[in-house]
Amino acid sequence: MTDTWTLHPDRALPADSVTRPIAREIYLAVRDLPIVSMHGHVDVAAFADDEPFPDPAQLLVVPDHYLTRMLVSQGAKLPELGVGPANGPGFERDPREIFRRFCAGWKHFRGTPTRYWMEHELVEIFGVTVRPSADTADQVYDQIAECLADPAFRPRALLDRFGIETIGTTDPAWSTLDAHARLAAELPGRVLPTFRPDPLLHPARPSWREDLERLATASGIATDTYAGYLAALRDRRAAFVAAGGLATDHGHLSADTTPLPDDAARTLFEKALRGADGSGISMAEEAAFSAHMLFQMAAMSAEDGLVMQFHPGVLRDHDPAVAATFGPDKGYDIPVVTEFAHGLRPVLEAFGNSESFRMIAFTVDEDVYSRELAPLAGVYPALRLGAPWWFLDAPDAMRRFREAATETAGFSNMSGFVDDTRAFCSIPARHDLARRVDAGYLARLVAEHRLDLDEAVDTAADLAYHLPKAAYAAR
Amino acid sequence: MTDTWTLHPDRALPADSVTRPIAREIYLAVRDLPIVSMHGHVDVAAFADDEPFPDPAQLLVVPDHYLTRMLVSQGAKLPELGVGPANGPGFERDPREIFRRFCAGWKHFRGTPTRYWMEHELVEIFGVTVRPSADTADQVYDQIAECLADPAFRPRALLDRFGIETIGTTDPAWSTLDAHARLAAELPGRVLPTFRPDPLLHPARPSWREDLERLATASGIATDTYAGYLAALRDRRAAFVAAGGLATDHGHLSADTTPLPDDAARTLFEKALRGADGSGISMAEEAAFSAHMLFQMAAMSAEDGLVMQFHPGVLRDHDPAVAATFGPDKGYDIPVVTEFAHGLRPVLEAFGNSESFRMIAFTVDEDVYSRELAPLAGVYPALRLGAPWWFLDAPDAMRRFREAATETAGFSNMSGFVDDTRAFCSIPARHDLARRVDAGYLARLVAEHRLDLDEAVDTAADLAYHLPKAAYAAR
Amino acid sequence: MTDTWTLHPDRALPADSVTRPIAREIYLAVRDLPIVSMHGHVDVAAFADDEPFPDPAQLLVVPDHYLTRMLVSQGAKLPELGVGPANGPGFERDPREIFRRFCAGWKHFRGTPTRYWMEHELVEIFGVTVRPSADTADQVYDQIAECLADPAFRPRALLDRFGIETIGTTDPAWSTLDAHARLAAELPGRVLPTFRPDPLLHPARPSWREDLERLATASGIATDTYAGYLAALRDRRAAFVAAGGLATDHGHLSADTTPLPDDAARTLFEKALRGADGSGISMAEEAAFSAHMLFQMAAMSAEDGLVMQFHPGVLRDHDPAVAATFGPDKGYDIPVVTEFAHGLRPVLEAFGNSESFRMIAFTVDEDVYSRELAPLAGVYPALRLGAPWWFLDAPDAMRRFREAATETAGFSNMSGFVDDTRAFCSIPARHDLARRVDAGYLARLVAEHRLDLDEAVDTAADLAYHLPKAAYAAR
């Protein structure tokens, strides 16, 4: 550690003296390529309104669940980090206090990607020169706060500074897309909506009927029949396509895509609708219905060309008490065993060889890389293997992904790097890290004489830019 | 990339400057050991007839499903690659066109073992000096075609040139073994049959009754009773033993080996026989019956000494429409979750400590290496852990196998390297690659002072030659 | 290999020339920290009586199931290794013969941790200077036997020499803890009991009723009612706490912790009690009851502060015939697929945020590291991720653990190194190896500029000493 905190230019490249120079050469060839960020969760309002970010805690700590989870695991309470109902007990209103708690816990992030990304953000974006700690928390806070007051740190300016060519947002099916309409005029082709219908496809969720109403309102089509429900979904997809949308996004517990006979689907829909708060339908029936609806979404994608992003295998809100107090997505999501070979079979049998369909599949169950996803992506033209996602979007996990998937799927059947973040300032850090890790992997292939250097440079550019661009191109 | 395409002598050895020289020393000590290739799928007719191979496409492209899968995933149609019914739409009859399509797709093989093996084949076997591409396709094709016209490139000559001491073929239970009889006289002990009864053990397959007839014809024993069926299988096994066969080969969906009571098995057999095209039996009943028959095969192996090769866990013909059009094994086989601890228990309880029985178990579900297969092979004397198979027969996957299995199973409980290919010319490439990867793994143990160099060299020779020889020795 | 057998000071550190010096610096900073060994299986009598160890075979070979398994897999019979009933056929009474068999099989341990640990033990503890082999067996035996006659090799002396600050033993719930009482006086705080109630929680085990009687005797509370059973368990836990115990230890087939309604649990208990030898209860009912009892154990831990060590996922006595002949734990235990996300949910929902509860979870199913255990430990404050256990307590497996778990769980949510051995002399070898592997992992992070050197040294000390100390601190 030197007195001034800096980032090493070779960070995250392989250490050994043979591979590193090759990795550096590959990395430098792709470092400055534009960023395509099609699977993001930044609120569209940030770009539409272009207001300054409120404060360092609201920007960097409160919305980042990687970060709050780690502090909770070490004894912090969510309200102390500004998470939860603002009128709840222990809710911290002072952003500086929140930021101090984060800095005091800096040690706990050692070895995690949060640590890596945050270093990048603090040093590269905000010019911080001291390592965060209880002692330096205020100094770091002030430095960032000063930046945020500068117009150069407003969302659109950062979009330029970060080199983001296109960014996708995630939007409920009933979104009016007003903000996107404004952005289409002011920043054409830069900020694109993504159609996310999850709540509408899960009739047992308490909000289902309410969400159906929202869908009806947005589409102007009554959703109290199965036919109306499908028509309204189709209508909203068309609206997303019209607004420049290129993709849909689906998070289900299971990868099952088995369609039901029309009658059976209609019956389940009606049964769910009759029950109070969706309670008319059993968990098994809901699972069958949502698998069926995934198949319907694939069928609609084969019609309208929206690329289908699919990331199953997460048990949402593992601790129901925490979810009840702090809201959905705050209750600790945990990955579970995921099965793709049988699960995706119906969709792949129907559309896997279609030129008008594309699915990009993500997983947080690493086992399926070499066993199922690489073999599937390595033969079905409609399937691309997505980048390592969420917990796996980390240096060693990304390397394992390359090592597990490439030998079977090759590079051409992959999506290239896709971030998946609501932490706007982490986007350049994440893409930079992925480019470094890919450069390291490719450099090893070169050093082992399994690939020529010109091929490695060409492949690195594919993974960083050309493959994401191609994977999300309208079908 | 240099102007002339050559292979680096250190390819696939570890890059770092400490480990590579050790790896090179280990590799050179085993590079020229003879090849034992007991699990092959080259047609016995190639060796019996010793005719020249027809053309570069038929030799290198059309029969290699690794290669055609990858081109299909990138948009090629199987008929364009010469696969499918010769009278079907789009079927390509010109081998040069097929070869051009392969060369034009060369980029898509980056990072895959196909790329590595093919480089070896083109450069080492056929003396090709340019990298394949759309531009060089004809030049490469002509170079290979010229070789194939030379008697030095006939199958038996290549057998010698490749240093293949013994090669196993895979033969249906009803095979007359005529070609093997001829080879036993002309090339004694060199080409050995392997007993593969899979279709006979799966009564729900459409061809089951027809295959039973073939079995009856070959054995001269009526197969319309359960007792006759078992007797006919036993008879054919004896014929394989007499023809020099050392092993059987079993590919099932599940690793279950639970035997049924005799009465129950007989009842299922009769029920299946009564149904039209095997439809008299449910999928669950078929699963129970084929598990039972695996147990019977193990029992017969404990009697006749044929080594039982077992590689479960593959969902055959994932896309039924493709399989219907292009035939079995063309419909995209995909690995699935495989369970060995419970599945193998009945066979291991019965024969796992027997000196007259041996099973070699393979998997394409990597998870089971450290969890199940290494612990099982590390205690039951009758069980050997097979080499990484199919998608896992690749440099990084082989390294993962060593790292995951060795610490629990040691080396002595492994089969050593076993290829599994119908691509004849890839055999020396595959064995050479395995020797390099094993040398790299062993060199790391030496460099980390976990093994002495003399031990590493001795172990490398075991893995390359002595262990396969011993694993398949008659019991 | 030199003529004199020595251990390289850099063994098990990474080979490459950039990482090794960093690893060496980190390792040397923690090499001599005291050993905290809270999850051990050495018999408490060894320390209470402090008698000399009988002979080299009884000390190093007979009780070590890693070692005997490997020799069995290569054709040895358990009785030839001194395992089994002393009046059984083939039982070897001569320790020198047993030791010769071990030395003759030395080759089979290549690449395994047994080899690594044993080298450490032979060279560092007993001053052996020749590699074991058939030829050197007697020389090695004599050297060790001579040591064992020396008072410096008695258990308590070795405790000091090994630098063991605290060692846990594993004791049945009905243990009188007499030996621990003696040790509390003579070696205060040094040898601590661990409460292991497994047999009492599995009513289908043949010994269950007998064990209930033992529990009743030890506690003075009748165990013929469900209420009495719970009260007796609670009573014995209190006795363990009073004797300095800090933890409980639980090995179940499944990780399920779902509680039953009180009535249902009572009914199952009574049903089991009425049956002959527990046969009144089905396997499914036993599974439900033992899951329920895990929840009860967690509830009691939240009351009395005993840290709950949990290592599910092992199929005990895979070969029932071997178990019947040679006794429990000799029948080849084999890991199986283990599910934690749903399994631990009831306990974590109830106690996962409690400051008075701690669970340390271990697995032999590596898949769950990145998928389930790291995400769970990375958010629930009451859960710590245990060290790689049993088959995974090996150099490459430990490295995989760090790589798979750290990016999600960080270091602070881990137990630090925990050995799990009945082989007393292997304890310093195991801790030393873990410190080396961790140093290597941390050195890579430093070499890749993902961690500063001062942080790496601090973390290495945490993993070696401070985290185990904290993880097992009374709640």
Side-chain angles (χ1 to χ4, degrees):
Chain A
M1 191 182 59
T2 55
D3 285 309
T4 297
W5 203 37
T6 56
L7 300 185
H8 196 285
D10 287 341
R11 64 193 183 279
L13 300 181
D16 89 84
S17 56
V18 176
T19 313
R20 177 166 288 182
I22 306 171
R24 191 187 297 129
E25 181 168 352
I26 297 169
Y27 167 66
L28 290 176
V30 301
R31 184 185 59 186
D32 299 324
L33 288 175
I35 285 175
V36 174
S37 173
M38 283 300 299
H39 187 151
H41 300 300
V42 178
D43 189 346
V44 63
F47 307 111
D49 302 341
D50 204 32
E51 292 293 326
F53 291 108
D55 62 67
Q58 284 301 327
L59 178 64
L60 299 175
V61 180
V62 181
D64 186 337
H65 56 77
Y66 286 89
L67 201 153
T68 53
R69 279 171 83 116
M70 182 60 83
L71 296 175
V72 162
S73 76
Q74 286 295 312
K77 307 295 175 196
L78 282 172
E80 296 167 2
L81 304 170
V83 177
N87 57 357
F91 183 83
E92 180 60 65
R93 294 169 181 283
D94 180 358
R96 191 178 285 273
E97 269 309 319
I98 295 170
F99 202 80
R100 281 176 187 153
R101 287 179 185 130
F102 159 59
C103 290
W106 182 248
K107 165 175 176 166
H108 304 308
F109 295 98
R110 289 178 187 167
T112 72
T114 297
R115 150 69 181 262
Y116 189 92
W117 298 326
M118 194 58 79
E119 280 192 338
H120 182 115
E121 296 172 54
L122 296 178
V123 176
E124 296 274 304
I125 302 177
F126 298 105
V128 171
T129 54
V130 293
R131 206 153 78 168
S133 70
D135 291 344
T136 62
D138 283 356
Q139 181 184 347
V140 174
Y141 184 92
D142 291 338
Q143 166 83 15
I144 300 168
E146 190 180 324
C147 289
L148 296 182
D150 181 336
F153 286 81
R154 296 214 176 168
R156 292 190 186 182
L158 288 178
L159 216 47
D160 288 340
R161 178 172 166 195
F162 294 167
I164 297 176
E165 184 177 294
T166 324
I167 188 165
T169 60
T170 308
D171 309 274
W174 53 78
S175 166
T176 59
L177 302 175
D178 289 346
H180 285 93
R182 225 183 324 148
L183 283 158
E186 296 173 10
L187 289 179
R190 199 84 179 272
V191 183
L192 306 178
T194 303
F195 180 79
R196 179 131 193 189
D198 288 355
L200 293 162
L201 311 187
H202 290 86
R205 291 203 191 162
S207 67
W208 186 62
R209 292 142 168 289
E210 199 179 325
D211 293 338
L212 278 187
E213 284 306 314
R214 289 178 174 133
L215 176 64
T217 304
S219 65
I221 299 171
T223 56
D224 56 354
T225 67
Y226 176 62
Y229 166 71
L230 290 183
L233 285 166
R234 192 173 272 113
D235 174 85
R236 294 313 300 154
R237 294 176 62 106
F240 275 69
V241 171
L246 294 173
T248 67
D249 187 19
H250 305 271
H252 285 220
L253 178 58
S254 155
D256 187 18
T257 61
T258 309
L260 298 169
D262 271 358
D263 277 0
R266 184 181 309 111
T267 302
L268 282 181
F269 179 86
E270 291 168 357
K271 192 172 167 192
L273 207 58
R274 279 196 308 271
D277 290 333
S279 64
I281 197 169
S282 72
M283 292 314 287
E285 286 172 329
E286 193 207 40
F289 185 80
S290 61
H292 168 79
M293 286 307 299
L294 278 173
F295 188 93
Q296 301 311 312
M297 290 296 105
M300 292 186 198
S301 275
E303 286 170 19
D304 63 24
L306 288 176
V307 172
M308 188 173 185
Q309 300 177 98
F310 187 33
H311 40 68
V314 178
L315 182 59
R316 304 274 170 187
D317 291 325
H318 192 267
D319 188 331
V322 170
T325 307
F326 299 100
D329 294 335
K330 299 290 183 290
Y332 315 155
D333 300 349
I334 303 291
V336 293
V337 168
T338 316
E339 203 284 342
F340 286 88
H342 291 92
L344 293 186
R345 200 178 192 184
V347 156
L348 292 174
E349 192 181 337
F351 312 111
N353 297 293
S354 161
E355 285 174 22
S356 64
F357 178 66
R358 170 155 301 141
M359 175 184 278
I360 304 176
F362 300 83
T363 186
V364 269
D365 178 358
E366 296 190 72
D367 304 346
V368 304
Y369 286 150
S370 81
R371 188 179 59 223
E372 298 169 47
L373 283 179
L376 289 167
V379 67
Y380 284 103
L383 183 65
R384 292 280 158 96
L385 181 41
W389 168 57
W390 192 15
F391 291 126
L392 304 177
D393 182 10
D396 290 343
M398 285 193 272
R399 182 177 44 73
R400 287 197 299 277
F401 168 77
R402 288 276 166 247
E403 293 175 2
T406 307
E407 292 180 327
T408 297
F411 296 106
S412 303
N413 292 306
M414 291 173 174
S415 69
F417 184 66
V418 177
D419 71 75
D420 168 58
T421 185
R422 62 195 73 235
F424 181 48
C425 289
S426 76
I427 291 177
R430 287 167 187 249
H431 284 258
D432 181 71
L433 177 57
R435 290 169 189 194
R436 291 170 181 273
V437 172
D438 285 342
Y441 170 73
L442 290 162
R444 182 169 65 81
L445 296 190
V446 172
E448 293 177 8
H449 311 288
R450 292 162 57 189
L451 201 65
D452 292 322
L453 181 58
D454 65 323
E455 296 175 302
V457 167
D458 183 63
T459 300
D462 283 351
L463 294 172
Y465 179 73
H466 302 292
L467 279 168
K469 197 95 172 144
Y472 287 90
R475 303 294 291 164
Chain B
M1 190 182 60
T2 56
D3 286 308
T4 297
W5 202 37
T6 56
L7 300 185
H8 196 285
D10 287 341
R11 64 192 183 281
L13 299 182
D16 89 84
S17 56
V18 175
T19 313
R20 178 166 288 183
I22 305 171
R24 191 188 297 129
E25 180 168 352
I26 297 169
Y27 166 67
L28 289 176
V30 300
R31 183 185 61 186
D32 299 324
L33 288 175
I35 286 175
V36 175
S37 173
M38 283 299 299
H39 187 151
H41 300 300
V42 179
D43 189 346
V44 63
F47 307 112
D49 302 341
D50 203 32
E51 293 292 327
F53 292 106
D55 63 67
Q58 283 300 327
L59 178 64
L60 299 176
V61 180
V62 181
D64 187 337
H65 55 77
Y66 286 88
L67 200 152
T68 54
R69 279 171 83 117
M70 182 60 84
L71 296 175
V72 162
S73 76
Q74 286 295 311
K77 306 294 175 196
L78 283 171
E80 296 167 2
L81 304 171
V83 176
N87 58 357
F91 182 83
E92 181 59 66
R93 294 168 180 285
D94 180 357
R96 191 177 287 273
E97 269 309 319
I98 294 170
F99 202 80
R100 282 176 187 151
R101 286 178 187 131
F102 158 59
C103 290
W106 182 248
K107 165 176 175 164
H108 303 309
F109 295 98
R110 288 178 187 168
T112 73
T114 298
R115 151 69 182 264
Y116 189 92
W117 299 326
M118 194 58 79
E119 279 191 341
H120 182 115
E121 296 172 53
L122 296 178
V123 176
E124 296 274 303
I125 303 177
F126 298 106
V128 171
T129 55
V130 293
R131 206 153 78 168
S133 70
D135 291 343
T136 64
D138 284 356
Q139 182 185 346
V140 174
Y141 184 93
D142 291 337
Q143 166 83 15
I144 300 169
E146 191 180 323
C147 290
L148 295 182
D150 181 338
F153 287 80
R154 294 213 179 170
R156 292 190 186 182
L158 289 179
L159 216 47
D160 288 340
R161 178 173 165 195
F162 294 167
I164 297 176
E165 184 177 293
T166 324
I167 188 165
T169 60
T170 308
D171 309 275
W174 53 79
S175 167
T176 60
L177 303 175
D178 290 346
H180 285 95
R182 226 183 324 147
L183 283 159
E186 297 173 10
L187 289 179
R190 198 82 179 273
V191 183
L192 306 179
T194 302
F195 180 80
R196 178 131 194 188
D198 288 354
L200 293 163
L201 311 188
H202 290 87
R205 291 201 192 164
S207 68
W208 185 62
R209 293 143 166 289
E210 200 179 324
D211 294 337
L212 277 187
E213 283 306 314
R214 289 178 174 131
L215 176 65
T217 304
S219 65
I221 298 172
T223 56
D224 56 353
T225 66
Y226 177 62
Y229 165 71
L230 289 183
L233 284 166
R234 192 173 272 114
D235 173 86
R236 294 313 299 153
R237 294 177 62 107
F240 274 70
V241 171
L246 294 174
T248 67
D249 188 18
H250 305 270
H252 285 220
L253 178 58
S254 156
D256 186 18
T257 62
T258 309
L260 297 168
D262 271 358
D263 276 0
R266 184 181 309 111
T267 302
L268 281 182
F269 179 85
E270 291 168 357
K271 192 172 169 194
L273 207 58
R274 280 197 307 272
D277 291 332
S279 65
I281 196 169
S282 71
M283 293 312 289
E285 286 173 328
E286 194 207 41
F289 185 80
S290 61
H292 167 79
M293 286 307 299
L294 278 173
F295 188 93
Q296 301 310 312
M297 290 295 105
M300 292 187 198
S301 274
E303 286 169 18
D304 62 24
L306 288 176
V307 172
M308 188 172 186
Q309 300 178 97
F310 187 34
H311 40 68
V314 178
L315 182 60
R316 304 275 169 185
D317 292 325
H318 192 266
D319 188 330
V322 170
T325 307
F326 298 99
D329 294 335
K330 299 289 184 292
Y332 315 155
D333 299 349
I334 302 292
V336 293
V337 168
T338 315
E339 202 284 341
F340 286 89
H342 290 92
L344 294 186
R345 199 179 192 182
V347 156
L348 292 175
E349 191 180 338
F351 312 111
N353 297 294
S354 161
E355 284 174 22
S356 64
F357 178 67
R358 170 155 302 141
M359 175 184 277
I360 305 177
F362 300 84
T363 187
V364 270
D365 179 357
E366 297 190 70
D367 305 346
V368 303
Y369 286 151
S370 82
R371 188 180 59 223
E372 297 169 48
L373 283 179
L376 288 167
V379 68
Y380 283 103
L383 183 66
R384 292 281 157 96
L385 181 42
W389 167 57
W390 193 15
F391 290 126
L392 304 178
D393 183 9
D396 290 342
M398 287 193 272
R399 182 177 43 74
R400 286 197 298 277
F401 168 76
R402 288 275 166 249
E403 294 174 2
T406 307
E407 292 180 327
T408 297
F411 296 105
S412 303
N413 292 306
M414 291 175 175
S415 70
F417 185 66
V418 176
D419 71 74
D420 167 60
T421 185
R422 62 196 72 236
F424 180 49
C425 289
S426 76
I427 291 177
R430 287 167 187 249
H431 284 259
D432 182 70
L433 177 57
R435 291 170 188 194
R436 291 171 181 274
V437 172
D438 285 341
Y441 170 72
L442 290 162
R444 183 169 65 82
L445 296 190
V446 173
E448 293 177 9
H449 312 289
R450 292 162 56 189
L451 202 66
D452 292 322
L453 181 58
D454 64 323
E455 296 175 302
V457 168
D458 182 64
T459 300
D462 283 351
L463 293 172
Y465 180 72
H466 302 292
L467 279 167
K469 197 99 170 140
Y472 288 91
R475 304 294 290 166
Chain C
M1 191 183 58
T2 56
D3 285 308
T4 297
W5 203 38
T6 55
L7 300 185
H8 196 286
D10 286 341
R11 65 194 182 279
L13 300 182
D16 89 83
S17 56
V18 175
T19 313
R20 178 167 288 183
I22 305 171
R24 191 188 298 130
E25 180 168 353
I26 297 168
Y27 166 66
L28 290 176
V30 300
R31 184 185 61 187
D32 298 323
L33 287 174
I35 286 175
V36 174
S37 173
M38 283 299 299
H39 187 150
H41 300 301
V42 179
D43 190 345
V44 63
F47 307 112
D49 303 340
D50 204 32
E51 292 293 325
F53 292 106
D55 62 67
Q58 284 300 329
L59 178 64
L60 299 176
V61 179
V62 181
D64 186 337
H65 56 77
Y66 286 88
L67 200 153
T68 54
R69 279 171 83 116
M70 182 60 83
L71 295 175
V72 162
S73 76
Q74 286 295 311
K77 307 294 176 198
L78 282 172
E80 296 167 3
L81 303 170
V83 177
N87 57 356
F91 183 82
E92 181 60 64
R93 294 170 180 283
D94 181 356
R96 191 178 285 274
E97 269 309 318
I98 294 170
F99 202 80
R100 282 175 186 152
R101 287 179 186 130
F102 159 59
C103 289
W106 182 247
K107 166 176 176 164
H108 303 310
F109 296 98
R110 289 177 188 169
T112 72
T114 299
R115 151 69 182 261
Y116 188 93
W117 299 325
M118 194 58 80
E119 279 191 340
H120 182 114
E121 296 172 54
L122 296 178
V123 176
E124 296 275 303
I125 302 177
F126 298 105
V128 171
T129 55
V130 293
R131 205 152 78 168
S133 71
D135 291 343
T136 62
D138 283 355
Q139 183 184 345
V140 174
Y141 184 93
D142 291 337
Q143 166 83 17
I144 300 169
E146 191 179 323
C147 290
L148 295 183
D150 181 336
F153 286 80
R154 296 212 176 169
R156 292 190 186 183
L158 289 179
L159 217 47
D160 287 341
R161 177 170 166 198
F162 294 167
I164 297 176
E165 183 176 295
T166 323
I167 189 165
T169 60
T170 308
D171 309 275
W174 53 78
S175 166
T176 58
L177 303 174
D178 289 346
H180 285 93
R182 225 183 325 147
L183 283 159
E186 296 173 11
L187 289 179
R190 199 83 179 274
V191 183
L192 305 179
T194 302
F195 180 79
R196 179 131 193 187
D198 287 354
L200 293 163
L201 311 188
H202 290 86
R205 292 202 191 162
S207 67
W208 185 62
R209 291 144 167 288
E210 199 179 325
D211 293 339
L212 278 187
E213 284 306 316
R214 289 179 174 130
L215 176 64
T217 304
S219 65
I221 299 172
T223 56
D224 56 354
T225 66
Y226 176 63
Y229 165 72
L230 290 183
L233 285 166
R234 191 173 273 114
D235 173 85
R236 294 313 301 152
R237 295 176 62 105
F240 275 70
V241 171
L246 294 174
T248 67
D249 187 19
H250 305 270
H252 286 220
L253 178 58
S254 156
D256 186 17
T257 61
T258 309
L260 298 168
D262 271 357
D263 277 358
R266 184 181 309 112
T267 302
L268 282 181
F269 179 86
E270 290 168 357
K271 193 172 168 193
L273 207 59
R274 279 196 307 273
D277 290 334
S279 65
I281 197 169
S282 72
M283 293 313 289
E285 285 172 328
E286 193 207 41
F289 185 79
S290 61
H292 168 79
M293 286 306 300
L294 278 173
F295 188 93
Q296 301 310 312
M297 290 295 105
M300 292 187 198
S301 275
E303 286 170 19
D304 63 23
L306 288 176
V307 173
M308 188 173 187
Q309 299 177 100
F310 188 33
H311 40 69
V314 178
L315 182 59
R316 304 275 169 185
D317 292 325
H318 191 267
D319 188 331
V322 171
T325 307
F326 299 99
D329 293 335
K330 299 290 183 290
Y332 315 155
D333 300 348
I334 302 292
V336 293
V337 168
T338 316
E339 203 283 341
F340 286 90
H342 290 91
L344 294 186
R345 200 179 191 182
V347 156
L348 292 174
E349 193 181 336
F351 311 111
N353 297 294
S354 162
E355 282 173 23
S356 63
F357 178 67
R358 170 155 300 143
M359 174 183 278
I360 304 176
F362 300 84
T363 186
V364 269
D365 178 358
E366 297 190 70
D367 305 346
V368 303
Y369 287 150
S370 82
R371 189 181 58 224
E372 297 168 48
L373 283 179
L376 288 167
V379 68
Y380 283 103
L383 183 65
R384 292 281 157 97
L385 181 41
W389 167 57
W390 193 13
F391 291 125
L392 303 178
D393 183 9
D396 289 343
M398 286 193 273
R399 182 178 43 75
R400 286 197 299 277
F401 168 76
R402 288 274 165 249
E403 292 174 2
T406 307
E407 292 179 329
T408 297
F411 296 105
S412 303
N413 292 306
M414 292 175 174
S415 70
F417 185 66
V418 176
D419 71 75
D420 167 58
T421 186
R422 62 196 72 235
F424 181 48
C425 289
S426 77
I427 291 177
R430 287 167 187 248
H431 284 258
D432 182 71
L433 177 56
R435 291 170 188 194
R436 290 170 181 275
V437 172
D438 285 342
Y441 170 72
L442 290 162
R444 183 169 64 81
L445 297 190
V446 172
E448 293 177 9
H449 312 290
R450 292 162 58 189
L451 202 65
D452 292 322
L453 181 58
D454 64 323
E455 296 175 302
V457 168
D458 183 62
T459 300
D462 282 351
L463 294 172
Y465 180 72
H466 302 292
L467 279 168
K469 197 97 171 142
Y472 287 91
R475 304 294 290 166

